[in-house]
């Protein structure tokens, strides 16, 4: 028997306010304390803040749909049609296959040496310069040197990519000011991607070139290509920028953990997982409930939206020992920082590769990381990352 939302615990604070976006964890804890499902009165959404229910929802594509959009507002869901994020079943599998094969481990292995070399060069340059912004000069510089070439984006048209990519995430929150002011940039990126496809000024051998060949061979409609390019480039930039900048901040503020990683570099895979668990790049996405459903005894009506909070699940006291402590000895591989199930972030392998390369370069060359001015956080409905992180890298003697 369906229960009205008033029978579900209610949270009345705005988890998408500027203050909450900058410091989300007290809100997540309050939501988890209320129950496995909480009604967000400000946004008219059911939130799933705990780990077990979050993972269950992400892995049940039959009941919790992405094909009606994963945003918390209807106009962004309409705008994102044609992406793998906004699709289900065979349609999702077909679209994902068109782009994800370039992000599989075998394909990424061919990039390894080049990414390692770029990371080492960036670290060496940062040491020579003294003080740098770890976000711009390290966390952003590496993926920006790799991802656009993989996609095939025109080399002389990359100046706005970061702003556009951030906007494609920002519009996926509720219809707040953050999303509204990001809309023009998101539309600009879509229009530009359409122009790139129309004019075919893409790099040979790239994903874009491959998709255009599929169009010529009749296996893909031309209008499907621009959303797929955006599908690939935006997550591959922002998730990596988040992970690398979080890594630098966490190791700068926890020198004992940095020393541990230097002494035991075999902990590097653990460290990457713990970084993503502790500071999840993605806050969460919504799913639409196909039929009346039950989550841990809470009845939810067909057609309702569920906000799956990855970042909250990764701090759930029911799943993790000392979840608010950053410790690279943790076995955090089961985190949901990149989602889970069929819609898990296709770019996570690339994000891991680049984050690992940056940390490896730092381990080899840097004794400690010092923060030299107050860091600032970016304000984005979906992405959690630093805006500026002024640091000095102290080289090993």
């Amino acid at each position: 028997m369906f229960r009205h939302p008033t029978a579900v615990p209610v949270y009345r604070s705005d988890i998408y306010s500027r203050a909450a976006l900058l410091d989300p964890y007290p809100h997540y804890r309050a939501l988890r304390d209320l129950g496995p499902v909480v009604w967000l009165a400000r946004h008219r959404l059911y939130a799933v803040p705990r780990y077990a229910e979050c993972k269950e929802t992400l892995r049940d594509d039959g009941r919790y749909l992405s094909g009606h959009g994963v945003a918390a507002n209807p106009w962004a869901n309409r705008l994102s049609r044609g992406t793998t994020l906004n699709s289900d079943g065979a349609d999702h599998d077909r679209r994902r296959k068109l782009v994800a094969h370039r992000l599989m481990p075998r394909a990424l292995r061919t990039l390894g040496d080049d990414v390692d070399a770029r990371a080492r060069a960036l670290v060496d340059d940062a040491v020579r310069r003294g003080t740098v912004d770890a976000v711009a000069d390290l966390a952003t510089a590496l993926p920006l040197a790799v991802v656009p070439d993989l996609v095939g984006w025109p080399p002389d048209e990359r100046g706005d990519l970061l702003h556009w990519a951030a906007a494609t995430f920002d519009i996926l929150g509720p219809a707040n000011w953050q999303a509204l002011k990001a809309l023009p940039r998101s539309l600009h990126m879509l229009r530009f991607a359409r122009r790139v496809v129309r004019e075919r000024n893409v790099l040979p051998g790239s994903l874009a070139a491959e998709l255009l060949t599929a169009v010529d061979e009749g296996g893909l409609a031309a209008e499907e290509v621009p959303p797929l390019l955006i599908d690939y480039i935006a997550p591959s930039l922002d998730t990596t920028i988040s992970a690398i900048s979080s890594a630098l901040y966490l190791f700068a503020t926890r020198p004992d953990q940095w020393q541990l990683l230097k002494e035991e570099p075999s902990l590097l895979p653990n460290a990457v997982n713990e970084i993503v668990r502790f500071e999840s790049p993605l806050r969460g996405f919504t799913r639409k409930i196909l039929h009346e459903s039950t989550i841990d005894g809470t009845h939810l009506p067909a057609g309702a939206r569920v906000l799956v909070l990855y970042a909250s699940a990764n701090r759930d006291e029911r799943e993790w020992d000392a979840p608010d402590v950053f410790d690279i000895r943790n076995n955090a591989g089961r985190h949901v920082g990149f989602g889970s199930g069929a819609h898990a972030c296709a770019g996570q392998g690339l994000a891991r590769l680049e984050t690992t390369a940056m940390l490896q370069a730092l381990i080899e060359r840097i004794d400690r990381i010092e923060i030299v001015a107050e860091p600032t956080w970016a304000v984005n409905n979906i992405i959690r990352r630093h805006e500026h992180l002024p640091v000095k890298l102290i080289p090993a003697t």
Side-chain angles (χ1 to χ4, degrees), residues 21 52 91 102 121 127 141 153 193 228 257 284 298 352 378:
L21 293 176
D91 189 36
R102 285 180 169 263
V127 170
W153 204 264
L228 289 174
Q257 290 288 304
T298 301
R352 291 178 190 278

Side-chain angles (χ1 to χ4, degrees), residues 248-306:
L248 284 152
Y249 177 78
L250 290 166
F251 285 122
T253 54
R254 295 159 177 82
D256 59 319
Q257 290 288 304
W258 178 243
Q259 192 59 38
L260 175 61
L261 185 59
K262 284 178 65 67
E263 292 171 358
E264 298 185 45
S266 61
L267 288 172
L268 196 45
N270 263 41
V272 173
N273 280 327
E274 178 68 351
I275 290 160
V276 175
R277 180 199 72 81
F278 194 81
E279 288 288 7
S280 302
L282 302 170
R283 301 178 195 276
F285 293 120
T286 72
R287 297 286 189 272
K288 188 173 182 178
I289 303 173
L290 181 59
H291 302 296
E292 184 175 335
S293 185
T294 301
I295 297 179
D296 196 43
T298 301
H299 293 273
L300 306 176
R305 282 201 173 267
V306 174

